[in-house]
Amino acid sequence: MAKQDIISRKEIEIVINTFYEKVKVDDAIGYMFASVDWNAHLPVMYNFWDNALFYTGHYSGNPMEKHQKAHAANPMTADHFKRWLALFEATINELLVEKMPTFSRKEREV
Ligand code: HEM
């Protein structure tokens, strides 16, 4: 089914919040995020994604280093990664499928 493009920072925030609500309670990968400070992490993720999508320059971190540390604490396998991707895709399908637009006009203002 056709999907909407993400066109605003507000939409990124909704997608990311919805995604991590799923991640936190997920049986397979939730425990890997148990010690994350969400008040600090979520804004970093908004910046990461708005830089990835809109080239805003808001993110200049080092995800590889963070994930090496995360992996040292809780080893990540291919199955964990697949689960992360499945939750991400489920979030996109839930929020951005054309026939079920969740975002109001205000949220779609750039
Ligand atoms: C099994 C899959 C994954 C796990 C378990 C995982 C876990 C984590 C953890 C524990 C952190 C550290 C949070 C903190 O600072 O407290 C983190 C940070 C981050 N992750 Fe992941 N992650 C996964 C996949 C991904 C993927 C696929 C992406 C990108 C598409 C991603 C992007 C990031 C970014 C941008 C950060 C922040 C780095 C920074 O602080 O600058 N992660 N992740």
Side-chain angles (χ1 to χ4, degrees):
M1 219 182 294
K3 308 233 181 18
Q4 299 175 352
D5 283 336
I6 289 178
I7 59 169
S8 69
R9 166 86 179 194
K10 182 71 193 163
E11 289 176 348
I12 288 175
E13 292 181 11
I14 293 169
V15 167
I16 294 305
N17 292 344
T18 306
F19 170 63
Y20 282 111
E21 286 308 310
K22 293 185 198 302
V23 165
K24 280 182 209 173
V25 298
D26 188 73
D27 285 346
I29 62 170
Y31 72 93
M32 301 175 120
F33 295 82
S35 59
V36 170
D37 172 355
W38 293 102
N39 289 334
H41 187 54
L42 288 174
V44 172
M45 298 313 293
Y46 307 151
N47 288 339
F48 171 80
W49 283 107
D50 89 13
N51 187 55
L53 296 181
F54 308 134
Y55 309 107
T56 57
H58 291 157
Y59 181 79
S60 58
N62 186 342
M64 187 60 83
E65 193 186 0
K66 289 274 175 175
H67 289 102
Q68 279 168 345
K69 281 190 186 149
H71 178 67
N74 291 300
M76 286 184 215
T77 66
D79 282 344
H80 291 126
F81 186 67
K82 276 187 207 151
R83 184 64 188 154
W84 188 105
L85 281 182
L87 293 176
F88 198 85
E89 194 178 358
T91 305
I92 296 296
N93 286 341
E94 200 178 291
L95 295 176
L96 294 162
V97 168
E98 204 168 48
K99 291 198 171 161
M100 299 186 292
T102 302
F103 298 133
S104 68
R105 185 167 304 166
K106 188 158 194 312
E107 284 156 357
R108 293 194 68 77
E109 285 167 8
V110 179

